[in-house]
Structure formats: C-alpha cells, structure tokens
Amino acid sequence: MLEAVGRFCHRRRRLVMAGWAALLLLGLTVGGQVFGRLHSPGGSGSVESVQAFNRLDDASAAGQRLLAVVDGPAVAGPAVSVAVTTAARDLRGRPDVAAVYDTYETSAADLRATDGRASVVVVDLRHGLSDAAANTATAAVAARLRQAVPAARVLVGGSSVARHEANHQVGADLEHGELVSLPIAAVVLVLIFGGLAAAGIPLGVAVASIAGSLLFLLGFTYLFDVDPNVVSVVTVMGLGLAIDYGLLMVSRYREELRRGLPHPAALDAMMATAGRSIGFSALTVAASLCGLFAFDDPTYRSMGAGGVSVVLVALVAAVTLVPALISVRRPGRLPRRRRNPGSLLSRMSAPAPDQGFFSGVTRRSQRHPVLVVVVLVLLLGTAAVPFRGARFQNAALTSVPQEFVSRQVNELLNTRFPGNHTDPIEVVGQVPASDPRVLAYAAKLRAMPQISSVDVSAVNAGLSRVDVYPRDSGQSPHAQQLIRDLRADRPPYPSQITGTLAFLVDFEHQVMSGLPWAAGLIALATFVLLFLMTGSVLVPVKALVMNVLSLGASFGALVWVFQEGHLHSLLRFETPGALEVWVPVIVFVFAFGLSMDYEVFLLSRVKELHDAGYDNDDSVALGLQRSGRIITSAALLIVIVFLGFAGGRMIGINELGLSMSIAVVVDATLVRCLLVPATMTLLGELNWWAPGPLRRLHNRFGLHEPRPSTHSILETATSPGAE
C-alpha cells in the first residue's frame, strides 16, 4: 500500500505539491483565526465545583466580572470622588454592563486600599457576552475611568482579561518558538544531510504540518471549547514529529540510493521500510494520545482530539509530500557523497558503516548487561524521587508574566486591599440567604481557626452563597484541605462548593481517577501495535517498562527545576512553587508517545535484520548502528523544537517544553543506546518469543510490509514519468 502511495506521489508530484501549497496558504490565512476563538472549557459538568458554578451563573443576570483599579490620587479627595462616581453612572448606562459598584456608593471598605490612594470599581458585564464583546467592554471601562481621573493609573483585570491576555501570549509564544526553532533545526538538518536540498524536505513537511494543524484546531473550536494550551501543545508536537518523520524518510531514501538502486526503486524501498516505520510510530503516538479520552475533562479530551489529528497530519505529510518533493528534482541532485571526504559535512552525511560508535556502545553494553541494567535503573529511579513531593496549582495568576494586567490587578488587590478577598470558597445553598440555617452555618465557619472571614449574600429568592476566605491564601495544601473538610461537614441544607480552589481539588481527583484507565488504555494499545509489528510478547512489555523509567526521570526534573526553583536564574523564570496541574498528564501522554516513536525506529531496523538471518545480538548491534544516528538526530531536532517553545512566557508551556526535552534526551541516550541493548541481550532469542496461538495470530494478521520485489521495481522504473 505504501509503495503504491509513493508511486502515485511520484507520478503526480506537481499535483501533490500544489495541494499542500494550497493547504499551507489556507492554514496561514484562515488557520490563524484560531487564536481569536480560544476559550477554556471550564471543567467537566459532572463534578461538584462546575455544577455549582453553573448554578450560580444561570441564576445571575451578570456574566463576567471586571475589576478596575484606580490608583494614585487620594480616594477621599472630592474631585476624585465626583469623577469616579460620574464614570460609574455612565458605565451603568452601557447595554453590555449589568451592574457597577464603587467604594463611594456602596461604602464598601474592601473596595478602598489601606493606604487610601487606590479604589476598585467592580463592573459586572451582561450574561452571555462573547469574548470579543467582553474585550470591547473592557476597553470602554478603562477608557472612561482614565478620562475621568487622568492623573490615575487605571488597570482593568478579571477572568475575561486574563483569558484574552493568555490567548494573545499563546500566539506570540508560538510565533517566537517557530522563529527560534526552525532556523536552528534547518542548520542541524544541513549538517546531518550535508546539503540544503535534502535538509529542506523535512522542513517543508514541518511547515505543511503546522498549517494543517491550525486548520484542524480551528475546526474544533466550532465543535467545542479549545483551551489556549491545546494549541501550543499539539502544534509543538506536530512540528517535532513532522521533522522526525521527514528526516527518517529522506535518510532511508539516500541510503537506498547508495546501495545502487535507481530513483524509483529507492523510493519504493523508502516507502516500504521508513514509511512503514513512521506508520507504526504515528499509530503508537496516536494511541498514547487517546489515553487523554480516559479523563472526564473537556480540556484533556480536546487536547487528545487535536493531538491525534496533528499526528495524522504529520503522517500524511510525510508519506505524500516527501516522495513528491524528492521526485520533483533529479535524484542525482541529492548527493551520494561530497567531493571532500574529510569535511565535517561529509562525515555527518555519509552512510553509517556496520561498525562504528553506536555498534561499539552496544557491544560494550552486551558484554556487561546486568551491570548496565542495574546502574541505569538505580540512576533513573533516583532521578524520579523528587516527584513524590510534587504540589500542583491551577493556572494561578502569579505564574503568568508580570506585564499581564490581570496579574498586576491581582497583586494590587492582594497587597493593598483589606481582607485579601480575591479568591473565596463559595458554598452555594439551595435555600434563601435569610434562612436561619444559613446564618447559623456562617457563624459556625467564623469560629474555625483556618478561616479568616465569612460573608453571606443572596443570589436570588431561592439561592444563597456563603463566601469563605481561608487564612492560607492561594492554593496551598492547607487551603485545599479546607475544601475537603467543608465537604466532609456539610451545612444542614442542600449545598455545593465551588470556587477556584474547589476547581483545583476536583480536577486533581479527576486526574487520579482517570490515570489508571489512561495508563491501561495506552499500555494495551501500545502492546497490540508492537506485537503486530514484531510478533513478540516480551518486546512490547520491555518497551513499556523502559518508557516508565525515562518518564520518571523527567517528572523528577520537573519538580526539581520548577517547584523547587533550581536553575530559575539560568532559565529566567519565576519559581511558582508548584506545578501546573495539567502538565504531568500531558508530559506522561506525549513523552510516552515520543519514546515509543524512537522505540519503533530502532525495533523496525532490528526486526528487519533479525528476519534477514542475523542472530539476536548482531541484530541489535547492527540495528542500533544503522538507526542510532537517525534516532539521535531526530531527538536533537525535537529537543530544539521543545526548547524553542519553552522560551515563551507562559509557565505551563515552559514546564512542558523542558520536561519533554529531558524525557527525549534521556530516552534517546541512556535508554535507547544502553538500556535497550542490555535488556535485549539478557533476553536473547526470547525477545522474539510468543505463545503458539499468538504466533499464529501474528502470522495471519500481523502488519507485514515486504521490501519491494524485482517486478515492482521494474514496473516503477518503466512507468510513465519515471526519472
């Protein structure tokens, strides 16, 4: 099948290239609209905190809340008082505003700074406003207050402002990441291939994949809410995989040319071998991403849908665009060797001999397999220890860039306004606020030492809200424990608990509940795919264990760097003191998929050699020698991509980029070059063992892809358009 696809793309290369050029143009023009349509899904409707939030939202005529800080002039000054009061009255007359509160008309002490030189104007927008309308209203509020008090610094924050700033920063980070990583990747590809022509093919696949990814993600925004992090994660993943797949395809094509095959036959061989490998790779990565569907959370599920789509885009680009790009030029223009055999470019682009660095490393590991396995298992296990003390936070405003207005407003409220009333726990009762049970419950809470204050308010005639402010601010473990204590000791009336802290506790519970199912789904799908590829039972099990070890080291590094703050001055980020709660799951799923990507690259070569008659140890040594440079080069390129995007401003993407880079480096070096050869040596011919029924099942249903026959080579060589 893959050979047939390659021949079609060879014969219709201009048509294929025109199609991808149109997709690229469409992706860059239309796909860019995705950044204006990003919106956090807001959590699963099956959890208590989301249900209570939706109940409050439905009962209120107001929607998103804006917090406008008027900072500078004395709040008690008559001119300032009149100016702010007049501006607030004008804002109440806007059709997109539901209510406005200020410290002068409400006499609320918590709307006035302790130093008397700042006040807060609270603006509740109408329910159901779109993000674009909310942004317009935000700009109008800021402009009116600046006009009213020109000597003041006016900052307008709130959830809609934070979301707008995050969406804008995601787009800026993606653009910055592409501008940084693609040129460096281009230079590395030139060094690998020894020329611009061959190096440009993987880059062309990457750019085309980005365009297709943006179109897919734009389409998803019309079906469900897509979080800003989804675009960052899946675009980076698609970019890295596209470069990897293009690199493997072009490298195998040039290897077949050096074996003496003419262009059509080399193209057939490339599709039958490298095409098969990336097909398995894409399936294993997609299977890993399907683990996200095991979590009852719309953000993870949208990330899973986007991730699977992007992997498929990278796969289709590799098996169609690569043969078309290769065929559009005479194959002799892709040089078999450079004129100066001693040059650096020549040495890097020369075909791998059967004896070299990687086979030497393998042979040394094979001589002491037990020692290698014990040392590396202890090393990787020790590196994973810091993750035992991991703490999590949920998109705290303290972890976004300091220039974000939403963060500046949050810090002003925390430092200069009394009560620190920015993030309460909300107990929503299905009884009126005047009910004696509500008042008694509030009095009981005020007596608890871990609570600083309690407010009671009426939502409507049949709904009450008790706002509870913990003494431990932020999302500390003690504050999270308060959520659990309140749920264990409910008020004597029907109630639900919501708020940012409750969202975090519920989300962590969702993750822990879904993680076993996700891990099981990933393990089962990976096992089945590797069995269909190799016909072995032990090789898939070994691959799963190896991946867990490399992931453990990555998780440990994640805590050591970001939570504990090591290297923060070198990497230039603020230590948040906790990890973004969504990052470990995404690292687990995506890094697992990438590890299987390199496992497939190596196993496909080892299996090919073993089927050709080599014994187990020789197959491993020769397979790693022939694929080691490609695996190392692919890992280097994808690390460049991840580090390029890790240099952005969003701390969650920083955490993801660095941890993924560490996982790839560990997997491509310690695991793939040392641990895998050592374990395969210990197992010997058992690597290829399977029970009789499974062996017969593989013989009948296994995904076999034979090398091109002489007939197919001659047929291709004499077909119309063959060069």
Side-chain angles (χ1 to χ4, degrees):
M1 180 186 68
L2 289 171
E3 293 175 51
V5 171
R7 291 181 206 133
F8 173 83
C9 295
H10 166 67
R11 292 193 300 267
R12 300 288 185 265
R13 49 191 175 274
R14 291 180 177 82
L15 177 63
V16 173
M17 290 181 62
W20 279 104
L23 181 67
L24 175 61
L25 181 62
L26 196 63
L28 295 179
T29 54
V30 178
Q33 298 176 12
V34 68
F35 299 108
R37 297 184 54 81
L38 302 178
H39 191 281
S40 176
S44 170
S46 64
V47 300
E48 178 182 344
S49 57
V50 176
Q51 291 174 354
F53 175 83
N54 292 337
R55 187 184 298 273
L56 285 175
D57 191 51
D58 293 339
S60 174
Q64 303 174 57
R65 168 164 288 186
L66 302 178
L67 301 174
V69 179
V70 182
D71 184 22
V75 177
V80 175
S81 172
V82 171
V84 173
T85 303
T86 303
R89 184 172 60 251
D90 293 343
L91 291 173
R92 290 189 187 97
R94 289 182 58 88
D96 49 11
V97 171
V100 179
Y101 311 95
D102 63 74
T103 188
Y104 305 103
E105 296 192 3
T106 64
S107 300
D110 57 356
L111 296 181
R112 184 174 302 198
T114 54
D115 59 8
R117 304 196 68 84
S119 68
V120 176
V121 178
V122 180
V123 179
D124 287 337
L125 301 181
R126 292 284 182 190
H127 191 275
L129 285 183
S130 66
D131 285 346
N135 294 336
T136 301
T138 301
V141 169
R144 182 65 186 88
L145 289 173
R146 290 189 183 110
Q147 179 188 24
V149 192
R153 180 178 66 139
V154 176
L155 300 174
V156 181
S159 60
S160 63
V161 177
R163 181 167 56 250
H164 174 71
E165 290 179 323
N167 291 352
H168 175 77
Q169 190 61 50
V170 165
D173 284 354
L174 286 176
E175 183 179 353
H176 173 269
E178 292 167 5
L179 291 175
V180 170
S181 60
L182 285 179
I184 298 176
V187 173
V188 173
L189 282 168
V190 170
L191 292 175
I192 293 170
F193 286 119
L196 290 172
I201 294 177
L203 286 177
V205 175
V207 173
S209 297
I210 292 174
S213 303
L214 291 177
L215 288 175
F216 263 110
L217 292 171
L218 178 63
F220 286 140
T221 62
Y222 290 94
L223 302 177
F224 45 76
D225 290 334
V226 175
D227 190 271
N229 292 315
V230 174
V231 180
S232 301
V233 172
V234 302
T235 304
V236 172
M237 187 73 172
L239 178 61
L241 285 176
I243 293 178
D244 278 3
Y245 293 164
L247 170 67
L248 182 64
M249 296 280 281
V250 176
S251 298
R252 190 59 187 249
Y253 170 76
R254 298 185 70 185
E255 182 179 328
E256 299 300 336
L257 282 183
R258 292 185 178 101
R259 291 179 59 244
L261 293 181
H263 165 64
L267 206 61
D268 271 359
M270 175 192 76
M271 297 297 292
T273 54
R276 177 175 181 265
S277 294
I278 67 170
F280 274 108
S281 168
L283 289 175
T284 53
V285 175
S288 296
L289 299 183
C290 285
L292 292 171
F293 294 112
F295 297 97
D296 184 21
D297 182 78
T299 297
Y300 281 158
R301 291 183 173 181
S302 64
M303 196 168 289
V308 171
S309 302
V310 167
V311 171
L312 296 179
V313 170
L315 171 62
V316 173
V319 298
T320 59
L321 188 56
V322 168
L325 288 172
I326 288 176
S327 297
V328 82
R329 306 175 67 253
R330 295 182 62 85
R333 300 278 299 276
L334 294 176
R336 300 187 185 183
R337 61 177 59 87
R338 300 191 63 84
R339 293 182 179 179
N340 178 10
S343 68
L344 173 63
L345 293 181
S346 179
R347 291 196 301 271
M348 294 191 70
S349 60
D354 288 347
Q355 300 298 324
F357 173 79
F358 290 101
S359 63
V361 170
T362 303
R363 294 298 186 188
R364 283 190 285 274
S365 298
Q366 290 174 332
R367 285 196 292 269
H368 308 286
V370 175
L371 177 63
V372 171
V373 170
V374 171
V375 170
L376 289 181
V377 168
L378 288 176
L379 177 64
L380 295 175
T382 302
V385 169
F387 191 67
R388 295 178 59 186
R391 298 189 300 273
F392 303 101
Q393 65 181 13
N394 191 13
L397 283 173
T398 55
S399 64
V400 300
Q402 286 186 337
E403 61 267 26
F404 274 27
V405 176
S406 54
R407 173 173 176 174
Q408 295 175 28
V409 170
N410 183 70
E411 291 178 345
L412 280 172
L413 294 176
N414 285 335
T415 57
R416 296 175 58 189
F417 287 78
N420 191 21
H421 291 183
T422 57
D423 194 19
I425 299 170
E426 300 170 316
V427 183
V428 181
Q430 298 181 37
V431 293
S434 58
D435 191 301
R437 292 174 296 176
V438 176
L439 301 178
Y441 178 67
K444 175 184 175 181
L445 294 181
R446 291 189 182 99
M448 296 177 64
Q450 62 267 48
I451 295 175
S452 64
S453 63
V454 177
D455 292 336
V456 179
S457 59
V459 179
N460 57 25
L463 209 62
S464 63
R465 189 180 75 200
V466 178
D467 291 339
V468 181
Y469 300 96
R471 292 194 184 277
D472 290 321
S473 61
Q475 300 176 11
S476 67
H478 292 294
Q480 294 182 45
Q481 183 58 42
L482 179 58
I483 293 287
R484 301 182 183 95
D485 293 341
L486 293 176
R487 285 176 171 170
D489 187 12
R490 301 273 185 175
Y493 53 85
S495 65
Q496 291 176 308
I497 295 178
T498 187
T500 303
L501 202 56
F503 287 142
L504 175 61
V505 172
D506 287 345
F507 187 74
E508 287 183 353
H509 177 72
Q510 280 184 296
V511 169
M512 296 309 297
S513 300
L515 193 57
W517 293 98
L521 175 62
I522 292 171
L524 178 61
T526 301
F527 180 89
V528 170
L529 286 169
L530 288 183
F531 171 75
L532 291 175
M533 187 182 85
T534 64
S536 167
V537 170
L538 295 181
V539 165
V541 173
K542 175 191 64 64
L544 292 172
V545 174
M546 299 297 101
N547 285 3
V548 170
L549 287 172
S550 61
L551 282 173
S554 177
F555 286 155
L558 190 63
V559 172
W560 190 77
V561 173
F562 288 97
Q563 180 175 303
E564 299 178 3
H566 299 95
L567 307 180
H568 72 94
S569 58
L570 177 64
L571 299 176
R572 294 187 299 178
F573 66 87
E574 294 181 75
T575 304
L579 306 179
E580 288 291 328
V581 67
W582 57 272
V583 169
V585 171
I586 298 302
V587 171
F588 168 72
V589 172
F590 280 78
F592 192 95
L594 282 177
S595 296
M596 294 310 304
D597 188 42
Y598 301 132
E599 180 78 4
V600 168
F601 286 1
L602 175 58
L603 282 180
S604 61
R605 271 302 177 95
V606 174
K607 182 69 165 57
E608 182 182 329
L609 292 165
H610 191 264
D611 290 346
Y614 289 87
D615 65 23
N616 177 76
D617 289 358
D618 288 341
S619 298
V620 174
L622 188 54
L624 186 59
Q625 175 61 24
R626 292 184 178 179
S627 63
R629 188 173 58 196
I630 298 302
I631 293 174
T632 305
S633 300
L636 174 61
L637 289 166
I638 207 165
V639 166
I640 289 171
V641 170
F642 280 127
L643 290 180
F645 284 88
R649 306 302 310 281
M650 302 299 288
I651 190 67
I653 302 302
N654 296 158
E655 293 176 4
L656 181 72
L658 184 63
S659 57
M660 291 286 287
S661 299
I662 293 172
V664 170
V665 170
V666 169
D667 189 84
T669 54
L670 298 180
V671 173
R672 217 54 57 197
C673 293
L674 295 174
L675 196 54
V676 169
T679 53
M680 293 191 77
T681 299
L682 289 175
L683 292 173
E685 290 299 325
L686 285 176
N687 283 298
W688 315 107
W689 174 83
L694 290 180
R695 173 63 60 189
R696 291 189 291 272
L697 181 68
H698 178 265
N699 291 336
R700 183 172 182 181
F701 298 106
L703 302 179
H704 306 284
E705 188 76 44
R707 291 180 60 84
S709 63
T710 304
H711 173 72
S712 67
I713 293 173
L714 291 175
E715 180 182 5
T716 305
T718 56
S719 64
E723 294 178 352

Short mmCIF file of all heavy atoms in Angstrom, two decimals, residues 229-249:
data_model
loop_
_atom_site.label_atom_id
_atom_site.label_comp_id
_atom_site.label_asym_id
_atom_site.label_seq_id
_atom_site.Cartn_x
_atom_site.Cartn_y
_atom_site.Cartn_z
N ASN A 229 -3.82 26.36 25.85
CA ASN A 229 -2.70 25.42 25.95
C ASN A 229 -2.78 24.30 24.92
O ASN A 229 -1.76 23.73 24.55
CB ASN A 229 -2.65 24.82 27.36
CG ASN A 229 -2.27 25.84 28.40
OD1 ASN A 229 -1.35 26.62 28.20
ND2 ASN A 229 -2.97 25.86 29.52
N VAL A 230 -4.00 23.98 24.47
CA VAL A 230 -4.15 22.91 23.47
C VAL A 230 -3.41 23.28 22.20
O VAL A 230 -2.69 22.45 21.62
CB VAL A 230 -5.65 22.67 23.18
CG1 VAL A 230 -5.82 21.67 22.05
CG2 VAL A 230 -6.36 22.17 24.43
N VAL A 231 -3.56 24.52 21.74
CA VAL A 231 -2.90 24.95 20.50
C VAL A 231 -1.39 24.86 20.65
O VAL A 231 -0.69 24.35 19.76
CB VAL A 231 -3.33 26.38 20.14
CG1 VAL A 231 -2.65 26.83 18.86
CG2 VAL A 231 -4.84 26.45 19.97
N SER A 232 -0.87 25.33 21.77
CA SER A 232 0.58 25.30 21.98
C SER A 232 1.11 23.88 21.95
O SER A 232 2.07 23.56 21.25
CB SER A 232 0.94 25.97 23.31
OG SER A 232 0.51 27.30 23.35
N VAL A 233 0.48 23.01 22.73
CA VAL A 233 0.99 21.65 22.90
C VAL A 233 0.95 20.87 21.60
O VAL A 233 1.94 20.28 21.17
CB VAL A 233 0.21 20.93 24.01
CG1 VAL A 233 0.61 19.46 24.07
CG2 VAL A 233 0.46 21.60 25.35
N VAL A 234 -0.22 20.84 20.95
CA VAL A 234 -0.35 19.99 19.77
C VAL A 234 0.44 20.55 18.59
O VAL A 234 0.94 19.79 17.74
CB VAL A 234 -1.82 19.76 19.39
CG1 VAL A 234 -2.58 19.13 20.54
CG2 VAL A 234 -2.50 21.05 18.98
N THR A 235 0.58 21.87 18.49
CA THR A 235 1.37 22.44 17.40
C THR A 235 2.84 22.10 17.55
O THR A 235 3.51 21.72 16.58
CB THR A 235 1.18 23.96 17.34
OG1 THR A 235 -0.20 24.27 17.22
CG2 THR A 235 1.93 24.55 16.16
N VAL A 236 3.35 22.21 18.78
CA VAL A 236 4.76 21.85 19.03
C VAL A 236 4.98 20.38 18.74
O VAL A 236 5.97 19.98 18.12
CB VAL A 236 5.14 22.20 20.47
CG1 VAL A 236 6.53 21.67 20.80
CG2 VAL A 236 5.10 23.70 20.69
N MET A 237 4.05 19.54 19.20
CA MET A 237 4.18 18.10 18.97
C MET A 237 4.15 17.78 17.48
O MET A 237 4.96 16.99 16.99
CB MET A 237 3.03 17.37 19.68
CG MET A 237 3.16 15.86 19.66
SD MET A 237 4.44 15.30 20.77
CE MET A 237 4.16 13.52 20.69
N GLY A 238 3.22 18.37 16.76
CA GLY A 238 3.14 18.13 15.32
C GLY A 238 4.38 18.59 14.59
O GLY A 238 4.86 17.92 13.66
N LEU A 239 4.91 19.73 15.00
CA LEU A 239 6.13 20.25 14.37
C LEU A 239 7.30 19.29 14.58
O LEU A 239 8.04 18.96 13.64
CB LEU A 239 6.45 21.63 14.95
CG LEU A 239 7.73 22.33 14.45
CD1 LEU A 239 7.65 22.57 12.95
CD2 LEU A 239 7.93 23.64 15.19
N GLY A 240 7.46 18.83 15.81
CA GLY A 240 8.57 17.91 16.10
C GLY A 240 8.43 16.60 15.36
O GLY A 240 9.41 16.08 14.79
N LEU A 241 7.23 16.02 15.37
CA LEU A 241 7.03 14.74 14.68
C LEU A 241 7.22 14.87 13.18
O LEU A 241 7.78 13.98 12.53
CB LEU A 241 5.63 14.21 14.99
CG LEU A 241 5.41 13.62 16.37
CD1 LEU A 241 3.95 13.21 16.53
CD2 LEU A 241 6.31 12.42 16.61
N ALA A 242 6.77 15.97 12.60
CA ALA A 242 6.91 16.16 11.16
C ALA A 242 8.39 16.19 10.76
O ALA A 242 8.79 15.59 9.75
CB ALA A 242 6.22 17.45 10.74
N ILE A 243 9.21 16.90 11.54
CA ILE A 243 10.64 16.93 11.24
C ILE A 243 11.24 15.54 11.39
O ILE A 243 12.05 15.09 10.56
CB ILE A 243 11.34 17.94 12.16
CG1 ILE A 243 10.89 19.36 11.81
CG2 ILE A 243 12.85 17.83 12.04
CD1 ILE A 243 11.49 20.44 12.70
N ASP A 244 10.85 14.82 12.46
CA ASP A 244 11.35 13.46 12.67
C ASP A 244 11.00 12.55 11.49
O ASP A 244 11.85 11.81 10.98
CB ASP A 244 10.76 12.87 13.95
CG ASP A 244 11.51 13.34 15.18
OD1 ASP A 244 12.44 14.16 15.03
OD2 ASP A 244 11.17 12.89 16.29
N TYR A 245 9.74 12.59 11.08
CA TYR A 245 9.30 11.70 10.01
C TYR A 245 9.99 12.05 8.69
O TYR A 245 10.41 11.16 7.92
CB TYR A 245 7.78 11.78 9.85
CG TYR A 245 7.02 11.22 11.02
CD1 TYR A 245 5.66 11.50 11.20
CD2 TYR A 245 7.64 10.41 11.97
CE1 TYR A 245 4.95 11.00 12.27
CE2 TYR A 245 6.94 9.90 13.04
CZ TYR A 245 5.60 10.21 13.20
OH TYR A 245 4.90 9.69 14.26
N GLY A 246 10.08 13.34 8.39
CA GLY A 246 10.77 13.74 7.17
C GLY A 246 12.23 13.33 7.18
O GLY A 246 12.78 12.89 6.16
N LEU A 247 12.88 13.48 8.33
CA LEU A 247 14.29 13.07 8.46
C LEU A 247 14.45 11.58 8.20
O LEU A 247 15.35 11.16 7.46
CB LEU A 247 14.78 13.42 9.87
CG LEU A 247 16.14 12.88 10.29
CD1 LEU A 247 17.24 13.52 9.47
CD2 LEU A 247 16.38 13.13 11.78
N LEU A 248 13.61 10.76 8.80
CA LEU A 248 13.72 9.32 8.62
C LEU A 248 13.49 8.92 7.16
O LEU A 248 14.21 8.08 6.61
CB LEU A 248 12.71 8.61 9.52
CG LEU A 248 12.73 7.08 9.47
CD1 LEU A 248 14.05 6.55 10.00
CD2 LEU A 248 11.58 6.49 10.28
N MET A 249 12.50 9.52 6.52
CA MET A 249 12.19 9.17 5.13
C MET A 249 13.34 9.54 4.20
O MET A 249 13.80 8.72 3.39
CB MET A 249 10.91 9.89 4.70
CG MET A 249 9.67 9.49 5.45
SD MET A 249 8.96 7.93 4.87
CE MET A 249 8.11 8.50 3.40
#
